[in-house]
Amino acid sequence: MKIERLSLSGAFHLQPNILEDHRGFFFEWFNQRVFKELTSIDFQPKQFNCSRSTFGVLRGMHFQKQPHAQSKLVTVTKGEIQDVIIDLRQDSPTFGQHYSIILSEKKKNQLFVPKGFAHGFLVLSEQAEIFYAIDDFYAPDFEDGLRHNDQNLNIKWALDEKDIILSERDKTYSAFNDTVSKL
């Protein structure tokens, strides 16, 4: 497995070693020992989630507040997405910065999102299935989010705003500055 440290503190891009032949493929999706050796992070998943969305759906930018903040390992099992994370940790050297990456079924690449980050994705294929390993349980009273199109963040989404489909909840989130002032 190749693990690349990203520009945002504590975030990583993972590319598994894929063994392929005429029968198909095999790869190790996650190895806790190897991940800890290469990142110094003791990621211990407690919950696994899967979602499916259609082209243009943007889910995000979501996070859970302390004491139920979550680290997550995200991969795409079908299709392709633009995955975006934002550092909300006010004591972090990368506070307020975002990172964008394409995750796809074809590449089988993964994104490790540390605690204290907002996370969201935009579906670029006809349909996409996303699989998450999470290190804390979902706690609805600690769930929050921020506006995906905040002009101060200046995220370059892969689709025009008119082509993005949001849930009613995601339409109600506040701007970055308003959100982090309440954390």
Side-chain angles (χ1 to χ4, degrees):
M1 176 175 293
K2 297 175 190 168
I3 298 180
E4 172 191 5
R5 187 176 304 274
L6 299 179
S7 59
L8 299 185
S9 177
F12 294 90
H13 176 224
L14 290 73
Q15 183 63 59
N17 296 324
I18 302 165
L19 305 173
E20 289 187 87
D21 64 21
H22 67 281
R23 300 167 298 160
F25 68 85
F26 170 85
F27 68 95
E28 194 170 73
W29 190 79
F30 178 72
N31 181 312
Q32 185 182 31
R33 184 182 67 240
V34 171
F35 185 79
K36 186 174 181 180
E37 286 172 4
L38 296 176
T39 66
S40 300
I41 297 171
D42 189 17
F43 180 61
Q44 297 184 27
K46 295 181 180 178
Q47 182 174 321
F48 297 87
N49 298 336
C50 184
S51 70
R52 179 175 30 199
S53 300
T54 58
F55 177 79
V57 168
L58 191 152
R59 295 184 184 265
M61 299 297 300
H62 305 146
F63 62 95
Q64 283 202 174
K65 299 178 274 191
Q66 291 292 356
H68 294 286
Q70 300 172 323
S71 293
K72 57 182 84 167
L73 184 59
V74 182
T75 194
V76 173
T77 57
K78 181 178 180 180
E80 182 176 82
I81 64 171
Q82 177 187 6
D83 206 325
V84 175
I85 56 176
I86 304 167
D87 191 347
L88 304 179
R89 304 167 301 173
Q90 295 182 16
D91 60 345
S92 169
T94 56
F95 171 69
Q97 295 178 30
H98 68 275
Y99 183 85
S100 174
I101 188 170
I102 301 297
L103 299 180
S104 72
E105 168 187 12
K106 185 176 180 176
K107 292 181 188 175
K108 297 173 184 38
N109 56 335
Q110 304 164 327
L111 178 63
F112 178 76
V113 184
K115 287 176 174 32
F117 277 66
H119 172 254
F121 63 85
L122 175 63
V123 178
L124 303 176
S125 53
E126 184 178 324
Q127 194 175 79
E129 290 181 4
I130 298 85
F131 182 78
Y132 315 73
I134 302 170
D135 69 352
D136 199 357
F137 300 107
Y138 174 64
D141 292 341
F142 294 86
E143 180 180 42
D144 205 348
L146 54 99
R147 189 177 306 140
H148 76 284
N149 59 356
D150 183 327
Q151 292 180 352
N152 292 320
L153 294 173
N154 197 28
I155 297 170
K156 304 286 189 236
W157 292 103
L159 298 177
D160 289 334
E161 188 67 28
K162 66 179 177 42
D163 297 322
I164 292 175
I165 302 165
L166 296 171
S167 71
E168 291 306 312
R169 178 190 65 170
D170 289 352
K171 291 176 184 177
T172 66
Y173 287 135
S174 300
F176 175 80
N177 290 335
D178 294 335
T179 301
V180 296
S181 69
K182 298 180 231 168
L183 296 179

